[in-house]
mmCIF file of all heavy atoms in Angstrom:
data_model
loop_
_atom_site.group_PDB
_atom_site.id
_atom_site.type_symbol
_atom_site.label_atom_id
_atom_site.label_comp_id
_atom_site.label_asym_id
_atom_site.label_seq_id
_atom_site.Cartn_x
_atom_site.Cartn_y
_atom_site.Cartn_z
ATOM 1 N N GLY A 144 -2.435 18.073 -0.220
ATOM 2 C CA GLY A 144 -3.092 19.120 0.483
ATOM 3 C C GLY A 144 -2.616 19.536 1.842
ATOM 4 O O GLY A 144 -3.326 20.099 2.638
ATOM 5 N N LEU A 145 -1.235 19.287 2.096
ATOM 6 C CA LEU A 145 -0.699 19.554 3.339
ATOM 7 C C LEU A 145 0.531 20.418 3.393
ATOM 8 O O LEU A 145 1.382 20.342 4.293
ATOM 9 C CB LEU A 145 -0.388 18.247 4.054
ATOM 10 C CG LEU A 145 -1.615 17.335 4.414
ATOM 11 C CD1 LEU A 145 -1.096 15.973 5.095
ATOM 12 C CD2 LEU A 145 -2.453 18.024 5.544
ATOM 13 N N ARG A 146 0.760 21.168 2.356
ATOM 14 C CA ARG A 146 1.988 21.922 2.239
ATOM 15 C C ARG A 146 2.172 22.855 3.421
ATOM 16 O O ARG A 146 3.338 22.971 3.933
ATOM 17 C CB ARG A 146 1.901 22.828 0.878
ATOM 18 C CG ARG A 146 3.280 23.394 0.513
ATOM 19 C CD ARG A 146 3.068 24.378 -0.566
ATOM 20 N NE ARG A 146 4.291 25.265 -0.731
ATOM 21 C CZ ARG A 146 5.253 25.039 -1.642
ATOM 22 N NH1 ARG A 146 5.055 24.042 -2.598
ATOM 23 N NH2 ARG A 146 6.351 25.753 -1.660
ATOM 24 N N GLU A 147 1.137 23.418 3.956
ATOM 25 C CA GLU A 147 1.337 24.363 5.070
ATOM 26 C C GLU A 147 1.645 23.714 6.342
ATOM 27 O O GLU A 147 1.953 24.301 7.373
ATOM 28 C CB GLU A 147 0.115 25.319 5.153
ATOM 29 C CG GLU A 147 -1.186 24.619 5.646
ATOM 30 C CD GLU A 147 -1.976 24.169 4.474
ATOM 31 O OE1 GLU A 147 -1.479 23.691 3.456
ATOM 32 O OE2 GLU A 147 -3.250 24.307 4.578
ATOM 33 N N PHE A 148 1.643 22.397 6.362
ATOM 34 C CA PHE A 148 1.963 21.657 7.571
ATOM 35 C C PHE A 148 3.390 21.136 7.649
ATOM 36 O O PHE A 148 3.814 20.443 8.498
ATOM 37 C CB PHE A 148 1.006 20.383 7.697
ATOM 38 C CG PHE A 148 -0.434 20.755 7.996
ATOM 39 C CD1 PHE A 148 -1.309 21.177 7.052
ATOM 40 C CD2 PHE A 148 -0.947 20.800 9.313
ATOM 41 C CE1 PHE A 148 -2.639 21.571 7.312
ATOM 42 C CE2 PHE A 148 -2.165 21.201 9.620
ATOM 43 C CZ PHE A 148 -3.055 21.600 8.539
ATOM 44 N N ALA A 149 4.144 21.569 6.577
ATOM 45 C CA ALA A 149 5.563 21.016 6.374
ATOM 46 C C ALA A 149 6.378 20.981 7.631
ATOM 47 O O ALA A 149 7.125 19.976 7.902
ATOM 48 C CB ALA A 149 6.218 21.680 5.220
ATOM 49 N N LEU A 150 6.262 22.071 8.455
ATOM 50 C CA LEU A 150 7.238 22.194 9.525
ATOM 51 C C LEU A 150 6.683 21.799 10.923
ATOM 52 O O LEU A 150 7.339 21.982 11.909
ATOM 53 C CB LEU A 150 7.853 23.600 9.554
ATOM 54 C CG LEU A 150 8.767 23.903 8.279
ATOM 55 C CD1 LEU A 150 9.239 25.345 8.352
ATOM 56 C CD2 LEU A 150 9.778 22.853 8.111
ATOM 57 N N LYS A 151 5.456 21.283 10.851
ATOM 58 C CA LYS A 151 4.901 20.761 12.116
ATOM 59 C C LYS A 151 5.582 19.393 12.424
ATOM 60 O O LYS A 151 5.997 18.750 11.472
ATOM 61 C CB LYS A 151 3.357 20.619 11.949
ATOM 62 C CG LYS A 151 2.657 21.971 11.953
ATOM 63 C CD LYS A 151 1.233 21.716 12.497
ATOM 64 C CE LYS A 151 0.372 22.978 12.384
ATOM 65 N NZ LYS A 151 0.659 23.938 13.472
ATOM 66 N N ARG A 152 5.484 19.041 13.697
ATOM 67 C CA ARG A 152 5.817 17.646 14.046
ATOM 68 C C ARG A 152 4.790 16.792 13.506
ATOM 69 O O ARG A 152 3.544 17.102 13.591
ATOM 70 C CB ARG A 152 5.779 17.539 15.539
ATOM 71 C CG ARG A 152 7.056 17.674 16.311
ATOM 72 C CD ARG A 152 6.692 17.814 17.733
ATOM 73 N NE ARG A 152 7.937 17.729 18.544
ATOM 74 C CZ ARG A 152 8.411 16.620 19.122
ATOM 75 N NH1 ARG A 152 7.782 15.524 19.085
ATOM 76 N NH2 ARG A 152 9.468 16.695 19.837
ATOM 77 N N ALA A 153 5.225 15.599 13.033
ATOM 78 C CA ALA A 153 4.251 14.637 12.545
ATOM 79 C C ALA A 153 3.156 14.294 13.476
ATOM 80 O O ALA A 153 1.960 14.159 13.183
ATOM 81 C CB ALA A 153 5.045 13.374 12.104
ATOM 82 N N SER A 154 3.591 14.129 14.839
ATOM 83 C CA SER A 154 2.592 13.722 15.770
ATOM 84 C C SER A 154 1.548 14.807 16.178
ATOM 85 O O SER A 154 0.649 14.491 16.798
ATOM 86 C CB SER A 154 3.329 13.275 17.080
ATOM 87 O OG SER A 154 4.186 14.358 17.535
ATOM 88 N N ASP A 155 1.801 16.008 15.664
ATOM 89 C CA ASP A 155 0.774 17.029 15.911
ATOM 90 C C ASP A 155 -0.369 17.038 14.851
ATOM 91 O O ASP A 155 -1.340 17.766 15.016
ATOM 92 C CB ASP A 155 1.429 18.477 15.857
ATOM 93 C CG ASP A 155 2.372 18.653 17.072
ATOM 94 O OD1 ASP A 155 2.075 17.945 18.117
ATOM 95 O OD2 ASP A 155 3.193 19.508 17.044
ATOM 96 N N LEU A 156 -0.241 16.231 13.901
ATOM 97 C CA LEU A 156 -1.333 16.149 12.875
ATOM 98 C C LEU A 156 -2.362 15.080 13.293
ATOM 99 O O LEU A 156 -2.116 14.216 14.095
ATOM 100 C CB LEU A 156 -0.698 15.754 11.542
ATOM 101 C CG LEU A 156 -0.227 16.929 10.575
ATOM 102 C CD1 LEU A 156 0.768 17.781 11.287
ATOM 103 C CD2 LEU A 156 0.283 16.338 9.308
ATOM 104 N N SER A 157 -3.568 15.285 12.745
ATOM 105 C CA SER A 157 -4.663 14.314 12.989
ATOM 106 C C SER A 157 -4.306 13.064 12.205
ATOM 107 O O SER A 157 -3.424 12.922 11.422
ATOM 108 C CB SER A 157 -5.941 14.862 12.513
ATOM 109 O OG SER A 157 -5.903 14.868 11.066
ATOM 110 N N GLY A 158 -4.906 11.935 12.562
ATOM 111 C CA GLY A 158 -4.674 10.644 11.962
ATOM 112 C C GLY A 158 -4.840 10.723 10.504
ATOM 113 O O GLY A 158 -4.042 10.232 9.677
ATOM 114 N N GLY A 159 -5.927 11.347 9.951
ATOM 115 C CA GLY A 159 -6.112 11.484 8.521
ATOM 116 C C GLY A 159 -5.023 12.230 7.788
ATOM 117 O O GLY A 159 -4.548 11.927 6.718
ATOM 118 N N GLN A 160 -4.577 13.257 8.533
ATOM 119 C CA GLN A 160 -3.471 14.107 7.976
ATOM 120 C C GLN A 160 -2.227 13.240 7.963
ATOM 121 O O GLN A 160 -1.473 13.315 6.941
ATOM 122 C CB GLN A 160 -3.276 15.356 8.751
ATOM 123 C CG GLN A 160 -4.411 16.349 8.525
ATOM 124 C CD GLN A 160 -4.360 17.516 9.587
ATOM 125 O OE1 GLN A 160 -3.783 17.352 10.669
ATOM 126 N NE2 GLN A 160 -4.898 18.616 9.250
ATOM 127 N N GLN A 161 -1.990 12.494 8.968
ATOM 128 C CA GLN A 161 -0.718 11.668 9.044
ATOM 129 C C GLN A 161 -0.725 10.647 7.928
ATOM 130 O O GLN A 161 0.265 10.386 7.309
ATOM 131 C CB GLN A 161 -0.565 11.039 10.388
ATOM 132 C CG GLN A 161 -0.289 11.917 11.548
ATOM 133 C CD GLN A 161 0.110 11.254 12.794
ATOM 134 O OE1 GLN A 161 0.756 10.176 12.784
ATOM 135 N NE2 GLN A 161 -0.326 11.725 13.910
ATOM 136 N N GLN A 162 -1.885 10.133 7.594
ATOM 137 C CA GLN A 162 -2.024 9.127 6.525
ATOM 138 C C GLN A 162 -1.756 9.846 5.142
ATOM 139 O O GLN A 162 -1.131 9.158 4.323
ATOM 140 C CB GLN A 162 -3.386 8.495 6.554
ATOM 141 C CG GLN A 162 -3.535 7.202 5.790
ATOM 142 C CD GLN A 162 -2.568 6.095 6.205
ATOM 143 O OE1 GLN A 162 -1.256 6.278 6.052
ATOM 144 N NE2 GLN A 162 -3.035 5.061 6.818
ATOM 145 N N ARG A 163 -2.207 11.073 5.032
ATOM 146 C CA ARG A 163 -1.890 11.738 3.800
ATOM 147 C C ARG A 163 -0.366 12.053 3.733
ATOM 148 O O ARG A 163 0.207 12.120 2.625
ATOM 149 C CB ARG A 163 -2.776 12.986 3.660
ATOM 150 C CG ARG A 163 -4.095 12.593 3.219
ATOM 151 C CD ARG A 163 -5.189 13.595 3.749
ATOM 152 N NE ARG A 163 -5.073 14.926 3.257
ATOM 153 C CZ ARG A 163 -5.480 16.004 3.912
ATOM 154 N NH1 ARG A 163 -6.112 15.908 5.025
ATOM 155 N NH2 ARG A 163 -5.383 17.132 3.385
ATOM 156 N N VAL A 164 0.271 12.302 4.800
ATOM 157 C CA VAL A 164 1.744 12.456 4.780
ATOM 158 C C VAL A 164 2.383 11.114 4.298
ATOM 159 O O VAL A 164 3.347 11.176 3.513
ATOM 160 C CB VAL A 164 2.321 12.842 6.179
ATOM 161 C CG1 VAL A 164 3.894 12.886 6.141
ATOM 162 C CG2 VAL A 164 1.777 14.180 6.705
ATOM 163 N N ALA A 165 1.871 10.115 4.748
ATOM 164 C CA ALA A 165 2.436 8.742 4.263
ATOM 165 C C ALA A 165 2.266 8.633 2.770
ATOM 166 O O ALA A 165 3.073 8.072 2.047
ATOM 167 C CB ALA A 165 1.690 7.600 5.016
ATOM 168 N N ILE A 166 1.137 9.213 2.239
ATOM 169 C CA ILE A 166 0.904 9.111 0.820
ATOM 170 C C ILE A 166 1.926 10.003 0.128
ATOM 171 O O ILE A 166 2.531 9.757 -0.922
ATOM 172 C CB ILE A 166 -0.576 9.466 0.497
ATOM 173 C CG1 ILE A 166 -1.513 8.527 1.049
ATOM 174 C CG2 ILE A 166 -0.693 9.647 -1.068
ATOM 175 C CD1 ILE A 166 -3.020 8.939 0.973
ATOM 176 N N ALA A 167 2.137 11.259 0.725
ATOM 177 C CA ALA A 167 3.179 12.161 0.133
ATOM 178 C C ALA A 167 4.523 11.545 0.160
ATOM 179 O O ALA A 167 5.296 11.721 -0.833
ATOM 180 C CB ALA A 167 3.202 13.510 0.959
ATOM 181 N N ARG A 168 4.778 10.757 1.107
ATOM 182 C CA ARG A 168 6.134 10.090 1.133
ATOM 183 C C ARG A 168 6.205 9.070 0.045
ATOM 184 O O ARG A 168 7.348 8.911 -0.598
ATOM 185 C CB ARG A 168 6.286 9.340 2.567
ATOM 186 C CG ARG A 168 7.698 8.786 2.829
ATOM 187 C CD ARG A 168 7.669 8.255 4.279
ATOM 188 N NE ARG A 168 6.554 7.359 4.524
ATOM 189 C CZ ARG A 168 6.282 6.784 5.711
ATOM 190 N NH1 ARG A 168 7.012 7.125 6.764
ATOM 191 N NH2 ARG A 168 5.377 6.012 5.858
ATOM 192 N N ALA A 169 5.122 8.421 -0.269
ATOM 193 C CA ALA A 169 5.171 7.511 -1.439
ATOM 194 C C ALA A 169 5.367 8.236 -2.800
ATOM 195 O O ALA A 169 6.006 7.783 -3.691
ATOM 196 C CB ALA A 169 3.864 6.630 -1.474
ATOM 197 N N LEU A 170 4.763 9.480 -2.811
ATOM 198 C CA LEU A 170 4.905 10.285 -4.003
ATOM 199 C C LEU A 170 6.429 10.731 -4.164
ATOM 200 O O LEU A 170 6.949 10.774 -5.233
ATOM 201 C CB LEU A 170 4.049 11.530 -3.969
ATOM 202 C CG LEU A 170 2.471 11.306 -4.045
ATOM 203 C CD1 LEU A 170 1.736 12.611 -3.814
ATOM 204 C CD2 LEU A 170 2.249 10.617 -5.351
ATOM 205 N N MET A 171 7.015 11.101 -2.955
ATOM 206 C CA MET A 171 8.448 11.525 -2.947
ATOM 207 C C MET A 171 9.305 10.394 -3.501
ATOM 208 O O MET A 171 10.297 10.633 -4.170
ATOM 209 C CB MET A 171 8.807 11.885 -1.570
ATOM 210 C CG MET A 171 10.239 12.367 -1.396
ATOM 211 S SD MET A 171 10.397 13.978 -2.053
ATOM 212 C CE MET A 171 12.219 14.110 -2.144
ATOM 213 N N GLN A 172 8.884 9.192 -3.161
ATOM 214 C CA GLN A 172 9.624 8.038 -3.600
ATOM 215 C C GLN A 172 9.435 7.698 -5.052
ATOM 216 O O GLN A 172 10.016 6.792 -5.612
ATOM 217 C CB GLN A 172 9.068 6.844 -2.706
ATOM 218 C CG GLN A 172 9.654 5.514 -2.798
ATOM 219 C CD GLN A 172 8.736 4.466 -2.134
ATOM 220 O OE1 GLN A 172 7.970 4.832 -1.210
ATOM 221 N NE2 GLN A 172 8.706 3.299 -2.616
ATOM 222 N N LYS A 173 8.516 8.455 -5.712
ATOM 223 C CA LYS A 173 8.166 8.223 -7.113
ATOM 224 C C LYS A 173 7.651 6.796 -7.372
ATOM 225 O O LYS A 173 7.914 6.097 -8.316
ATOM 226 C CB LYS A 173 9.350 8.436 -8.060
ATOM 227 C CG LYS A 173 9.897 9.827 -7.989
ATOM 228 C CD LYS A 173 10.745 10.176 -9.220
ATOM 229 C CE LYS A 173 11.001 11.671 -9.434
ATOM 230 N NZ LYS A 173 11.726 12.179 -8.282
ATOM 231 N N ALA A 174 6.827 6.387 -6.337
ATOM 232 C CA ALA A 174 6.137 5.093 -6.465
ATOM 233 C C ALA A 174 5.236 5.032 -7.712
ATOM 234 O O ALA A 174 4.595 5.988 -7.980
ATOM 235 C CB ALA A 174 5.334 4.850 -5.227
ATOM 236 N N GLU A 175 5.196 3.873 -8.380
ATOM 237 C CA GLU A 175 4.293 3.787 -9.502
ATOM 238 C C GLU A 175 3.190 2.899 -9.063
ATOM 239 O O GLU A 175 2.186 2.735 -9.787
ATOM 240 C CB GLU A 175 5.086 3.124 -10.703
ATOM 241 C CG GLU A 175 5.974 4.138 -11.336
ATOM 242 C CD GLU A 175 6.639 3.648 -12.563
ATOM 243 O OE1 GLU A 175 6.014 2.918 -13.360
ATOM 244 O OE2 GLU A 175 7.833 3.980 -12.748
ATOM 245 N N VAL A 176 3.388 2.140 -7.959
ATOM 246 C CA VAL A 176 2.308 1.301 -7.390
ATOM 247 C C VAL A 176 2.225 1.640 -5.922
ATOM 248 O O VAL A 176 3.253 1.719 -5.273
ATOM 249 C CB VAL A 176 2.683 -0.174 -7.566
ATOM 250 C CG1 VAL A 176 1.573 -1.059 -6.821
ATOM 251 C CG2 VAL A 176 2.771 -0.580 -9.004
ATOM 252 N N ILE A 177 1.061 1.953 -5.423
ATOM 253 C CA ILE A 177 0.864 2.051 -4.064
ATOM 254 C C ILE A 177 -0.001 0.912 -3.454
ATOM 255 O O ILE A 177 -1.110 0.603 -3.906
ATOM 256 C CB ILE A 177 0.141 3.454 -3.680
ATOM 257 C CG1 ILE A 177 1.267 4.502 -4.022
ATOM 258 C CG2 ILE A 177 -0.291 3.578 -2.266
ATOM 259 C CD1 ILE A 177 0.808 5.923 -3.602
ATOM 260 N N LEU A 178 0.543 0.324 -2.356
ATOM 261 C CA LEU A 178 -0.161 -0.751 -1.736
ATOM 262 C C LEU A 178 -0.617 -0.179 -0.383
ATOM 263 O O LEU A 178 0.208 0.153 0.448
ATOM 264 C CB LEU A 178 0.783 -1.912 -1.430
ATOM 265 C CG LEU A 178 1.483 -2.570 -2.660
ATOM 266 C CD1 LEU A 178 2.341 -3.675 -2.267
ATOM 267 C CD2 LEU A 178 0.373 -3.101 -3.699
ATOM 268 N N ALA A 179 -1.856 -0.056 -0.183
ATOM 269 C CA ALA A 179 -2.438 0.606 1.094
ATOM 270 C C ALA A 179 -3.167 -0.511 1.896
ATOM 271 O O ALA A 179 -4.289 -0.980 1.405
ATOM 272 C CB ALA A 179 -3.271 1.787 0.701
ATOM 273 N N ASP A 180 -2.620 -0.901 2.974
ATOM 274 C CA ASP A 180 -3.200 -2.033 3.710
ATOM 275 C C ASP A 180 -4.003 -1.426 4.869
ATOM 276 O O ASP A 180 -3.464 -0.909 5.903
ATOM 277 C CB ASP A 180 -2.122 -2.873 4.246
ATOM 278 C CG ASP A 180 -2.679 -4.395 4.595
ATOM 279 O OD1 ASP A 180 -3.958 -4.505 4.535
ATOM 280 O OD2 ASP A 180 -1.891 -5.214 4.989
ATOM 281 N N GLU A 181 -5.273 -1.440 4.747
ATOM 282 C CA GLU A 181 -6.294 -0.904 5.777
ATOM 283 C C GLU A 181 -5.907 0.512 6.120
ATOM 284 O O GLU A 181 -5.828 0.905 7.309
ATOM 285 C CB GLU A 181 -6.253 -1.821 7.050
ATOM 286 C CG GLU A 181 -6.659 -3.212 6.868
ATOM 287 C CD GLU A 181 -8.170 -3.362 6.599
ATOM 288 O OE1 GLU A 181 -8.882 -2.320 6.634
ATOM 289 O OE2 GLU A 181 -8.528 -4.535 6.389
ATOM 290 N N PRO A 182 -5.794 1.483 5.156
ATOM 291 C CA PRO A 182 -5.302 2.818 5.429
ATOM 292 C C PRO A 182 -6.316 3.605 6.185
ATOM 293 O O PRO A 182 -5.993 4.605 6.814
ATOM 294 C CB PRO A 182 -5.207 3.417 4.002
ATOM 295 C CG PRO A 182 -6.058 2.619 3.125
ATOM 296 C CD PRO A 182 -6.013 1.245 3.658
ATOM 297 N N ILE A 183 -7.605 3.189 6.197
ATOM 298 C CA ILE A 183 -8.609 4.012 6.906
ATOM 299 C C ILE A 183 -9.250 3.281 8.041
ATOM 300 O O ILE A 183 -10.190 3.764 8.624
ATOM 301 C CB ILE A 183 -9.694 4.494 5.894
ATOM 302 C CG1 ILE A 183 -10.517 3.385 5.245
ATOM 303 C CG2 ILE A 183 -9.084 5.452 4.881
ATOM 304 C CD1 ILE A 183 -11.632 3.882 4.474
#
Side-chain angles (χ1 to χ4, degrees):
L145 291 174
R146 195 190 164 103
E147 68 268 39
F148 292 84
L150 295 180
K151 287 208 185 283
R152 263 170 173 263
S154 53
D155 288 340
L156 270 57
S157 73
Q160 289 168 336
Q161 290 191 39
Q162 196 58 292
R163 282 150 63 206
V164 175
I166 297 170
R168 193 173 49 188
L170 292 175
M171 181 73 195
Q172 183 194 331
K173 297 198 168 60
E175 290 186 38
V176 173
I177 287 185
L178 306 175
D180 200 356
E181 300 287 356
I183 60 171

